[in-house]
Amino acid sequence: MAELHRAETNRKTTFPVDLDHTLEKAYQTFGQRSNFRGVDIGYRWRRGQRTEDICLRLHVLRKLPLDALLPSQVLPTHVDGVALDVIEASYQPSLEPGAARRASTRQPYTMGGLPCGRSGEGAGTIGLVVIDKTTGKPGILSNWHVLAGPWARHNDPIMQLAERDDEFDPRNHIANLKRWMLDRSGDAALAELLPDQPWLPLQFGGFESISQVRSASLGEILNKTSRAANNAQARVDGRGLYRLQYKTRQGTLEYRDIEGLNLIYEGDIPVSDGKVSCAGDSGAAWISAASGDAVALQIGGQSASPNGASRTGQGVIACEMGPILNKLELRLASYEDLLAQNGQSAVLTHRQKTCADLSYHSDEALPSPLWPHPRHWADVSLSQPQNLPRPDRTETTTSAAQVVAMVRILPNDHVPVLPHREPASPRSVIGHEIWQNRLCPALLDYDPNFRGVLPEETLTQRISTADERNIYAFFSRLINGSARFDGIGLRHVLASDFRGATTYMQICERIDTLRPRP
């Protein structure tokens, strides 16, 4: 069996199939030990560095010296003639607590790599957009502990998370929970997208759809698709069974042994509070760097060892994608599925048409495609504003109704006014004349859900669009079409007039600068 102990480091190596029996025997032998955290087939590590030897590896919570062990606790050097190595490591689900989540921009389309979760229960990651083979409907794939958890019920709402707070926000509701699994085969769940939720068969940050799922090869490099700050590459270091602790019901933590892959980050990943900084990556998909195939779904990360890492880099535990898709009866979503759902014969909802309209970067004169290519919402540099003649506002036929803002419903039942300021203050004049008498009433005319909006409030707290350029287009159309701005000499305004404004008061200040001066 000498040929099983060598592997080329510059190419992929298939896992030895004839070692599966040895792997299972080792699991039955050592799996009942209190410090057991996994057993797999993978590379041997020496003095923190990976070697070319392939061996059977036992993962333990803590390695002890021989003189601290009872004779029955001493491990053999070989199992069925295969060399046995010991790795000090422990693993836990990498769900991010909601209070620790960084604020981020809400994305108009659902796709792999974006944050998701249950309201108030922490954040994970959308692994892939998939198709439910039992219904033909699109959905999102992530972990059981991200989408379901111990309180899961059929059709529970699933959020595409953006802002730091964890309160339920209807704008974030994108899917309903349908099926889940937490067993030896994996930790995964399916949530079916709402009928009018726009989606793309892509991974966030890329323009290529994933067309194939396959098994991992030992030593191959995978890319993680996630919005977390530590997006990275990792190498497949082993495959076997790994023990993670889950909250399975209220007040109860249980260990579950799950088949999967052990990945090692190629670069240094920081450790904070004893944990690898990959919180929120639960559910992230790992994609082959060479072929672009989907390989695995992350379920956990490595906890910091009290005695220092026995390997360079930190470990990740991920389930192989194929068994998960088979058990949950799913397949990868494609552009063909998108076209079939949103083709000319399909009946699009108002929300779908609105999101498509808002996803195109343009001034009002340019048409918006129905389902644009991702380049239209990619983060590109803004073009310089054009010096266009300004007609009277009444000369434009564009209506504010052509842009629909998704607004947060607040409980306040009054229109707020600015605190009293000196009458001579230019800001107080703008606050009274532009905000209180013009812009705020125009917003309420457009949608009563703007009730309670404050002039210093950030625009994105109320209005959700593809990017900030569409927010400016919203205000230009609102102002040009509202009678509230009649009689102040204001001419036709452009979206570019509001570029860079972040609050309602700044919008008012821009309007004031566009008024003719005596």
Side-chain angles (χ1 to χ4, degrees):
M1 299 184 65
E3 68 276 5
L4 297 179
H5 296 271
R6 305 293 296 177
E8 300 267 348
T9 58
N10 59 352
R11 64 182 176 87
K12 297 180 293 185
T13 304
T14 57
F15 286 95
V17 178
D18 56 346
L19 292 186
D20 287 346
H21 174 74
T22 303
L23 180 67
E24 184 64 27
K25 181 178 180 179
Y27 173 67
Q28 296 297 331
T29 303
F30 307 118
Q32 302 303 317
R33 299 195 177 195
S34 60
N35 68 339
F36 174 87
R37 292 298 180 268
V39 60
D40 63 3
I41 302 296
Y43 290 110
R44 183 190 294 273
W45 288 74
R46 284 290 178 264
R47 291 182 292 276
Q49 299 296 320
R50 180 172 59 87
T51 72
E52 296 180 0
D53 295 336
I54 297 176
C55 63
L56 178 68
R57 311 185 308 182
L58 185 64
H59 300 243
V60 298
L61 179 62
R62 181 173 299 181
K63 296 172 69 173
L64 299 175
L66 286 176
D67 57 8
L69 298 174
L70 297 174
S72 60
Q73 295 176 318
V74 177
L75 296 172
T77 59
H78 292 74
V79 175
D80 281 350
V82 180
L84 177 66
D85 194 19
V86 180
I87 292 177
E88 184 176 80
S90 63
Y91 308 98
Q92 61 185 6
S94 42
L95 187 71
E96 180 183 29
R101 188 168 69 254
R102 295 180 179 178
S104 58
T105 303
R106 182 177 288 104
Q107 300 298 318
Y109 290 90
T110 293
M111 67 192 84
L114 295 179
C116 69
R118 297 165 62 89
S119 178
E121 295 183 24
T125 299
I126 298 173
L128 298 168
V129 178
V130 294
I131 299 295
D132 185 346
K133 292 196 285 188
T134 66
T135 64
K137 296 179 179 180
I140 58 173
L141 175 68
S142 189
N143 291 152
W144 170 86
H145 68 273
V146 173
L147 300 183
W151 301 281
R153 292 185 179 181
H154 189 70
N155 283 330
D156 279 352
I158 301 301
M159 307 291 110
Q160 182 172 304
L161 302 172
E163 297 178 353
R164 185 186 301 274
D165 60 275
D166 282 332
E167 66 182 18
F168 179 83
D169 188 336
R171 296 176 299 174
N172 292 339
H173 182 196
I174 62 165
N176 292 326
L177 183 64
K178 294 300 180 181
R179 295 195 295 279
W180 55 86
M181 57 184 286
L182 179 63
D183 53 29
R184 179 164 170 162
S185 299
D187 167 2
L190 164 72
E192 182 182 294
L193 288 170
L194 300 180
D196 59 351
Q197 175 60 34
W199 59 275
L200 288 170
L202 299 173
Q203 301 303 104
F204 183 80
F207 294 140
E208 299 295 329
S209 64
I210 300 172
S211 60
Q212 186 173 322
V213 173
R214 64 168 175 81
S215 298
S217 297
L218 187 62
E220 75 170 307
I221 299 297
L222 305 180
N223 291 327
K224 178 177 61 181
T225 56
S226 165
R227 292 197 66 189
N230 57 316
N231 287 345
Q233 289 188 327
R235 184 183 298 273
V236 180
D237 191 61
R239 184 174 70 186
L241 288 105
Y242 305 94
R243 180 164 292 173
L244 295 89
Q245 192 176 54
Y246 289 91
K247 180 185 287 187
T248 56
R249 54 185 179 271
Q250 181 66 32
T252 301
L253 295 174
E254 296 181 0
Y255 284 111
R256 296 297 177 93
D257 296 336
I258 298 179
E259 295 178 346
L261 303 174
N262 184 216
L263 312 178
I264 297 296
Y265 282 114
E266 288 293 281
D268 292 334
I269 301 299
V271 175
S272 176
D273 298 327
K275 301 177 182 178
V276 179
S277 297
C278 58
D281 281 352
S282 282
W286 285 89
I287 311 299
S288 169
S291 64
D293 299 331
V295 175
L297 192 73
Q298 179 163 333
I299 61 174
Q302 180 177 340
S303 302
S305 171
N307 299 326
S310 58
R311 293 175 291 181
T312 299
Q314 298 290 342
V316 169
I317 302 302
C319 305
E320 291 206 67
M321 195 71 72
I324 290 175
L325 296 183
N326 290 335
K327 188 160 187 177
L328 293 179
E329 299 183 271
L330 307 174
R331 63 174 176 83
L332 297 178
S334 66
Y335 277 112
E336 288 74 14
D337 299 310
L338 186 65
L339 292 173
Q341 175 178 304
N342 303 312
Q344 293 182 354
S345 60
V347 178
L348 299 184
T349 66
H350 181 68
R351 184 181 181 189
Q352 287 173 311
K353 293 177 181 178
T354 297
C355 190
D357 181 62
L358 291 176
S359 63
Y360 186 71
H361 158 232
S362 69
D363 277 328
E364 293 81 8
L366 298 179
S368 298
L370 187 59
W371 287 104
H373 189 276
R375 65 173 175 270
H376 293 294
W377 48 258
D379 185 16
V380 296
S381 59
L382 298 175
S383 59
Q384 295 297 320
Q386 299 176 347
N387 295 322
L388 300 175
R390 295 178 182 271
D392 291 335
R393 291 189 305 116
T394 55
E395 295 179 22
T396 178
T397 59
T398 302
S399 168
Q402 292 177 267
V403 178
V404 177
M406 292 177 284
V407 298
R408 183 194 299 272
I409 300 175
L410 295 181
N412 298 346
D413 58 356
H414 65 278
V415 178
V417 297
L418 289 176
H420 176 73
R421 292 185 174 91
E422 292 297 327
S425 168
R427 187 174 177 84
S428 66
V429 173
I430 295 173
H432 179 78
E433 176 64 18
I434 305 298
W435 168 249
Q436 193 167 335
N437 293 343
R438 309 287 178 181
L439 183 57
C440 187
L443 290 170
L444 290 171
D445 291 342
Y446 171 70
D447 193 318
N449 289 326
F450 276 104
R451 188 178 304 278
V453 65
L454 297 169
E456 300 296 345
E457 189 173 316
T458 303
L459 301 177
T460 53
Q461 287 183 307
R462 298 285 183 137
I463 305 172
S464 177
T465 63
D467 59 37
E468 62 182 9
R469 292 163 288 191
N470 303 121
I471 294 180
Y472 306 145
F474 165 74
F475 280 101
S476 66
R477 293 176 179 179
L478 175 73
I479 294 166
N480 289 330
S482 174
R484 300 283 185 174
F485 292 89
D486 292 345
I488 61 173
L490 190 66
R491 296 179 68 85
H492 185 85
V493 297
L494 304 175
S496 56
D497 293 328
F498 305 108
R499 188 168 294 161
T502 60
T503 67
Y504 293 95
M505 180 52 70
Q506 290 177 358
I507 294 291
C508 292
E509 292 170 348
R510 300 292 180 89
I511 294 172
D512 185 65
T513 62
L514 295 173
R515 299 169 62 189
R517 300 300 178 187

